[in-house]
Amino acid sequence: MPLQIPDPVLGAWAKGFPAHAAGLRLSEVGAAGLHLSDLGTPVLTVHADAIAHNEDTVFGWAAREGVRLAPHGKTTMAPALWQRLLDAGAWGISVATPWQARVAVDAGVPTVLIANGVTGGAAARELGAMLAADEGLRILCGADSLAGVAILADALAGAPRPLDVLVELGGAQGRTGARTVAEGERIAAAIAAAPGLRLAGVTGYEGPFGPDRSAASVAAVDGFLATLVELHNRLDYPDGVRPVLSAGGSSFPDRAAAVLGAAGGDAEVVLRSGAFQIHDDGFYSRMSPFGPLTDTAPLRSAMHAWSRVVSQPEPGLALLDAGRRDVPFDIDLPVPQSVAGAVTALNDQHAFLRPAEGATVAVGEVVRLGLSHPCTAFDKWRVVAVIDDPDAEDPRVIDAVATCF
């Protein structure tokens, strides 16, 4: 199903795009003959071939494992990139908030999984209104407390179509989610008893239980995933409902597929990995299992930032024009790729580059940066240029995508 893809007219608001691109519609960028050298700095780009490689790799693996994907749309908030995921066979698109769900529904996504609880009455009523307006739409959300279920039940009493609700299970030192299987059972009973709600499965997020890929972390992740299966096996679902068993962030989708997939029965195992489409040169390059662990090709980073040297005020220091408003920094600092050295700090509009011994940069030179964590890269850009080859002398701009942050 074709989504509604934003097609704005470019102007000064489109950071990184040159003045002579003003007046172009987004859909016209690919035919405009732009190159990377035409763009201002700092600028974020994505690499078309790397995106396609990552999609082919992960969807091919999921098909072999017999699991479905509902990739986290919050990673890019870009309907054009969501369309690629749906075309590749995604079961749906995951989001984090009711507002993100509304963006997805407005774009035409047919199945939207809110991977959190909805604890605002107005937001819950909005979900009910969207379901009432479109019989082909499916929205699912989590609930991790009786209080949360009560809010949903009050807001959706008398709704013409029930909201599908998944019991969200967590664990000590985890994030959200009921802390015990017994508590999960009580939440499930409350969902089943509410006329405007439908018990639709079990969900959780295993990421907090494994900060790395050590044996201890993998064992902790597997243990948590096993509690999801235990809760699922204790629940009685309504007639006609194929329950959803969902987990699988971008660090441990292999473990989620292995543990949840072994649950058998009629459950539909849905993984929410979202970073794989873009991947990175930082956190996910260390954490992703794709490669030898899954007998697949490794994923490739599809995103880079390009930043210009604006000052060399003292030996061993160069200042770049990309800062916290332009590049992610929550997990790792950017890594210079076109010159040896390290970025040691970021201000709001500057990066502190310390060239390696013997390496040189010049004022005005453009430095390519590898980035970590696509979720906090895309949110800084309203338009992202798509290039043909980041290793080319002057990459061609072959497309652009709009984000909806």
Side-chain angles (χ1 to χ4, degrees):
M1 176 179 176
L3 299 186
Q4 297 296 315
I5 307 297
D7 194 19
V9 176
L10 298 187
W13 61 269
K15 183 169 64 170
F17 281 80
H20 66 265
L24 289 176
R25 285 205 168 271
L26 196 71
S27 58
E28 297 171 332
V29 168
L34 295 174
H35 288 76
L36 182 66
S37 60
D38 293 308
L39 304 182
T41 57
V43 68
L44 178 72
T45 65
V46 292
H47 178 204
D49 287 349
I51 291 174
H53 165 81
N54 295 343
E55 292 165 345
D56 290 347
T57 299
V58 176
F59 277 96
W61 167 82
R64 293 195 302 274
E65 294 293 318
V67 298
R68 305 298 302 274
L69 298 177
H72 238 312
K74 72 174 177 65
T75 300
T76 64
M77 286 303 291
L81 296 176
W82 298 349
Q83 181 73 71
R84 295 179 60 100
L85 296 167
L86 293 171
D87 289 346
W91 175 88
I93 296 294
S94 293
V95 296
T97 69
W99 170 76
Q100 291 175 359
R102 189 168 78 242
V103 173
V105 171
D106 284 351
V109 175
T111 300
V112 179
L113 170 56
I114 305 173
N116 284 301
V118 176
T119 57
R125 287 189 292 273
E126 212 170 69
L127 298 180
M130 289 188 283
L131 288 168
D134 183 354
E135 291 186 357
L137 173 65
R138 187 180 189 192
I139 299 175
L140 307 92
C141 74
D144 72 351
S145 67
L146 295 178
V149 174
I151 290 169
L152 292 175
D154 182 65
L156 294 169
R161 293 181 60 201
L163 175 68
D164 282 341
V165 183
L166 311 177
V167 180
E168 184 183 359
L169 194 64
Q173 308 306 312
R175 205 161 68 182
T176 53
R179 287 331 201 212
T180 66
V181 169
E183 187 179 355
E185 289 182 281
R186 290 191 291 273
I187 293 166
I191 296 167
L197 309 179
R198 180 168 61 178
L199 179 63
V202 174
T203 186
Y205 176 51
E206 75 288 348
F209 301 96
D212 50 39
R213 293 289 310 196
S214 66
S217 287
V218 171
V221 165
D222 283 1
F224 169 70
L225 293 168
T227 65
L228 293 183
V229 174
E230 180 185 354
L231 175 59
H232 161 71
N233 287 335
R234 291 191 182 193
L235 301 185
D236 294 321
Y237 295 100
D239 291 342
V241 170
R242 183 181 184 188
V244 170
L245 192 51
S246 179
S250 295
S251 295
F252 297 98
D254 57 323
R255 303 315 309 152
V259 177
L260 303 187
D266 293 329
E268 189 154 39
V269 176
V270 177
L271 308 186
R272 303 191 301 273
S273 312
F276 74 83
Q277 188 182 32
I278 302 300
H279 199 49
D280 69 9
D281 285 304
F283 180 73
Y284 290 116
S285 71
R286 301 189 296 270
M287 292 294 292
S288 173
F290 293 102
L293 286 177
T294 52
D295 194 25
T296 65
L299 302 184
R300 295 160 55 190
S301 178
M303 66 176 181
H304 300 91
W306 308 79
S307 183
R308 195 176 303 273
V309 179
V310 294
S311 177
Q312 286 186 291
E314 61 188 59
L317 174 64
L319 278 298
L320 308 181
D321 63 359
R324 295 185 177 195
R325 298 185 179 190
D326 312 299
V327 294
F329 57 91
D330 57 316
I331 299 180
D332 302 298
L333 292 175
V335 177
Q337 295 181 324
S338 57
V339 62
V343 171
T344 58
L346 293 177
N347 293 156
D348 58 346
Q349 303 283 189
H350 294 95
F352 289 70
L353 171 63
R354 304 283 181 177
E357 185 175 354
T360 61
V361 292
V363 170
E365 182 177 339
V366 174
V367 176
R368 187 175 100 179
L369 299 173
L371 305 176
S372 182
H373 200 192
C375 291
T376 52
F378 275 73
D379 65 338
K380 297 166 176 59
W381 297 85
R382 295 171 67 186
V383 178
V384 180
V386 181
I387 59 174
D388 64 342
D389 182 1
D391 295 320
E393 183 175 347
D394 192 9
R396 291 186 304 118
V397 178
I398 59 174
D399 202 356
V401 295
T403 67
C404 298
F405 286 100

